């Protein structure tokens, strides 16, 4: 295939989500953001629209679409707001997807339908207080088998969707055996409300203020042995694959934010005047917007490419890392320029560009920092070793053993 024209189905989805974002999300999300409040009403409407079930088969209540469709929805949501987009991304890409990919028939039938309808949310607990990039080296959370139960102990940090009133399950990565570089890591599903699971208070965040992110603590937290997700000891490999896909979704989100900056600026420079002309009259402003559009378009092509490879069943590791790296850079640069074009109003909560500015930064951090994306790209190019050269440095280890 050459080119990335959307087929009728994808274009119809794009338009539906665009309309939803502009008519339903845009008018109210600023208030939720300023209050630091999770927008349950909007999430319920997204559920009714089928967004949480987009890439899942109809038998689980899904829409039977593909990963490209899911990313397209994220892109159009993030053009207007990133809090709702990340809520969808984490719920589907990190929460429900591992259950769909690695769960037994019973686990899929039990957990997926309410998740696909957006009535409940799933979360993914990988990062720990001691480190997210070197998660394998820094992991301390354990799960031991005691009769027919797993007993989980430890803590997780920054877990999206983990503390909403509709959160149903958190899949947690834990050490289930071995030690040192031979750690056995498995995925265990911990239902919300399980005794021994303490969901901490919502963080006070710089951005994504209308999304839910919390620390978790596990103290002798017991779940049935059947809550193991997939094969014992395969947890780390499962989540490396999950994160490869997740990066495409974050790239779509970043490209959407970058495009949203262009949307807002085009409106603003047509109205705002200075020195007798609309701002859009001045070439310096036009060039800034032209650069923003070029970044947004390149970022969009990056995730289109990675998502198309995912749908075709091709390897995506390098394409996903490139898409995520470049889209997050585009989002940051566009948010900075959009805020500049808005002048003092860019610094006020009244306009969305200030929100975009605060939301863009985390795209260079979550689901693998920009440095981690560069490690992946370098490794995919066959480059090995690292500046530290020290044993234990992530760059010295085999690709499949490290790096979130
Ligand atoms: C709002 C938000 C939501 C999140 N949601 C989730 C979630 O739902 N689930 C989840 O599991 N996690 C989640 N995370 C965690 C996120 O994935 C981590 O923050 C991220 O992976 C980075 O880990 P860290 O914060 O521990 O930083 P560190 O790993 O401590 O890194 C700190 C800095 O050091 C750099 N660095 C580290 N190692 C190297 C190296 N070898 N060479 C060069 N530079 C290096 C990093 O790039 C970074 O700049 C979320 C984070 C945020 C902020």
């Amino acid at each position: 295939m050459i080119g990335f024209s959307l087929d009728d189905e994808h274009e119809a989805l794009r338009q539906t989500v665009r309309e939803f974002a502009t008519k339903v999300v845009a008018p109210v999300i600023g208030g939720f953001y300023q209050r630091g409040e999770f927008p349950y009403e909007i999430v319920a409407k997204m559920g009714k629209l089928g967004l949480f079930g987009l890439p899942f088969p109809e038998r689980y209540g899904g829409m039977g679409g593909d990963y490209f469709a899911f990313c397209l929805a994220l892109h159009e949501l993030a053009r207007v707001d990133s809090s709702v987009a990340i809520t969808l991304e984490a719920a589907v890409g990190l929460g429900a997807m591992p259950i769909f990919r690695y769960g037994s028939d019973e686990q899929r039938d039990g957990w997926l339908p309410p998740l696909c309808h957006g009535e409940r949310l799933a979360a993914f607990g990988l990062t720990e207080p001691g480190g997210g990039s070197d998660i394998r080296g820094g992991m301390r959370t354990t799960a031991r088998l005691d009769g027919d139960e797993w007993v989980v102990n430890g803590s997780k940090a920054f877990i999206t969707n983990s503390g909403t009133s509709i959160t149903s399950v958190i899949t947690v990565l834990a050490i289930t055996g071995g030690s040192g570089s031979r750690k056995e890591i498995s995925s265990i599903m911990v239902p919300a409300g399980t005794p021994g699971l303490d969901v901490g208070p919502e963080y006070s965040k710089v951005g994504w203020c209308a999304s839910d992110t919390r620390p978790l603590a596990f103290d002798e937290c017991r779940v049935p042995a059947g809550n193991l997700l997939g094969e014992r000891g395969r947890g780390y490999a499962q989540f490396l694959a999950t994160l490869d896909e997740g990066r495409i979704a974050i790239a779509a989100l970043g490209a959407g934010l970058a495009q949203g900056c262009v949307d807002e600026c085009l409106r603003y420079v047509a109205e705002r005047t200075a020195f007798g002309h609309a701002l859009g009259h001045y070439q310096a402003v036009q060039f800034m917007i032209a650069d923003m559009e070029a970044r947004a378009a390149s970022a969009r092509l990056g995730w289109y490419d990675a998502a198309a490879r995912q749908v075709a069943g091709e390897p995506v590791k390098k394409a996903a890392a490139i898409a995520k790296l470049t889209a997050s850079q585009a989002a940051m640069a566009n948010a900075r320029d959009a805020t500049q074009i808005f002048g003092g109003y860019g610094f006020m909560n009244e306009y969305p560009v200030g929100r975009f500015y605060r939301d863009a930064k985390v795209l260079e951090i979550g689901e693998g920092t920009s440095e981690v994306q560069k490690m992946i790209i370098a490794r995919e190019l066959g480059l090995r070793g690292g500046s530290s050269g020290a044993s234990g440095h992530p760059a010295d280890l085999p690709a499949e053993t490290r790096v979130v």
Side-chain angles (χ1 to χ4, degrees):
M1 182 181 78
I2 297 174
F4 284 118
S5 302
L6 298 182
D7 60 25
D8 291 349
E9 223 169 296
H10 285 113
E11 179 54 26
L13 171 73
R14 196 192 66 75
Q15 283 180 24
T16 302
V17 181
R18 175 90 184 124
E19 195 177 320
F20 176 81
T22 50
K23 292 197 174 146
V24 179
V25 181
V28 296
I29 195 64
F32 285 98
Y33 198 89
Q34 282 176 47
R35 295 189 297 276
E37 190 182 325
F38 188 81
Y40 287 101
E41 301 86 344
I42 297 177
V43 168
K45 286 176 184 166
M46 285 160 63
K48 290 212 167 65
L49 212 55
L51 302 188
F52 288 90
L54 268 174
F56 301 113
E58 289 169 18
R59 68 165 285 205
Y60 301 114
M63 301 290 279
D66 54 24
Y67 206 80
F68 191 96
F70 168 53
C71 292
L72 202 53
L74 292 172
H75 183 274
E76 293 306 312
L77 283 175
R79 272 176 85 166
V80 166
D81 177 66
S82 291
S83 291
V84 292
I86 192 59
T87 298
L88 177 66
E89 194 277 334
V92 173
L94 302 180
M97 192 58 86
I99 301 175
F100 173 63
R101 290 237 192 283
Y102 309 114
S104 63
D105 285 346
E106 200 185 336
Q107 287 168 335
R108 290 170 166 201
D109 290 337
W111 292 107
L112 286 179
L115 297 177
C116 287
H117 292 130
E119 293 158 1
R120 307 303 299 264
L121 299 176
F124 153 83
L126 174 64
T127 306
E128 301 205 356
S133 302
D134 180 15
I135 186 66
R136 193 180 173 97
M139 188 175 294
R140 299 288 175 268
T141 299
T142 59
R144 68 172 196 278
L145 206 48
D146 182 20
D148 56 1
E149 288 178 327
W150 288 104
V151 186
V152 184
N153 282 288
S155 51
K156 297 286 173 183
F158 315 129
I159 308 306
T160 305
N161 289 340
S162 59
T164 74
S165 65
I166 54 172
T167 300
S168 61
V169 64
I170 304 159
T171 300
V172 177
L173 242 64
I175 302 166
T176 49
S179 61
S181 63
R182 299 261 168 224
K183 274 177 196 165
E184 177 194 91
I185 294 177
S186 306
S187 309
I188 316 273
M189 289 193 290
V190 180
T194 304
L197 163 62
D198 180 48
V199 180
E202 165 69 38
Y203 291 99
S204 170
K205 300 192 293 273
V206 170
W208 286 356
C209 298
S211 74
D212 180 84
T213 321
R214 295 170 191 261
L216 305 175
F218 302 87
D219 181 13
E220 293 291 288
C221 177
R222 291 176 172 269
V223 298
N227 282 23
L228 177 74
L229 185 64
E231 232 179 280
R232 180 172 175 164
R234 294 290 299 158
Y236 198 67
Q238 290 167 1
F239 277 102
L240 284 176
T242 302
L243 287 171
D244 278 342
E245 276 185 0
R247 287 177 184 132
I248 308 174
I250 294 288
L253 210 148
L257 189 155
Q259 195 67 60
C261 291
V262 177
D263 298 339
E264 293 299 327
C265 284
L266 286 177
R267 269 195 289 274
Y268 191 72
V269 301
E271 291 164 8
R272 179 77 172 171
T273 57
F275 300 100
H277 293 286
L279 284 183
H281 168 83
Y282 299 106
Q283 199 175 46
V285 173
Q286 292 175 8
F287 279 10
M288 242 162 132
I289 295 178
D291 278 338
M292 288 163 64
E293 174 68 5
R295 289 185 208 113
S298 309
R300 188 172 63 244
L301 285 178
W303 81 252
Y304 271 27
D305 172 52
R309 288 173 195 271
Q310 194 279 350
V311 172
E314 294 171 15
V316 298
K317 191 174 279 296
K318 186 169 84 159
I322 291 173
K324 203 254 177 190
L325 176 68
T326 52
S328 55
Q329 288 169 342
M332 274 297 282
N334 280 15
R336 182 197 61 223
D337 286 357
T339 305
Q340 189 67 20
I341 284 173
F342 271 67
Y345 288 115
F347 204 60
M348 299 296 133
N349 285 323
E350 183 185 346
Y351 289 91
V353 292
R355 183 156 39 88
F356 291 167
Y357 189 69
R358 288 157 65 182
D359 289 341
K361 181 60 205 170
V362 70
L363 298 170
E364 296 187 315
I365 297 171
E367 296 198 34
T369 63
S370 292
E371 292 72 29
V372 164
Q373 305 314 315
K374 290 176 192 178
M375 287 182 210
I376 294 170
I377 296 164
R379 193 174 292 148
E380 289 290 303
L381 291 171
L383 301 168
R384 289 288 186 273
S387 56
S388 83
S391 171
H393 188 284
D396 291 336
L397 295 166
E400 291 310 315
T401 59
R402 279 186 185 245
V403 180
V404 186

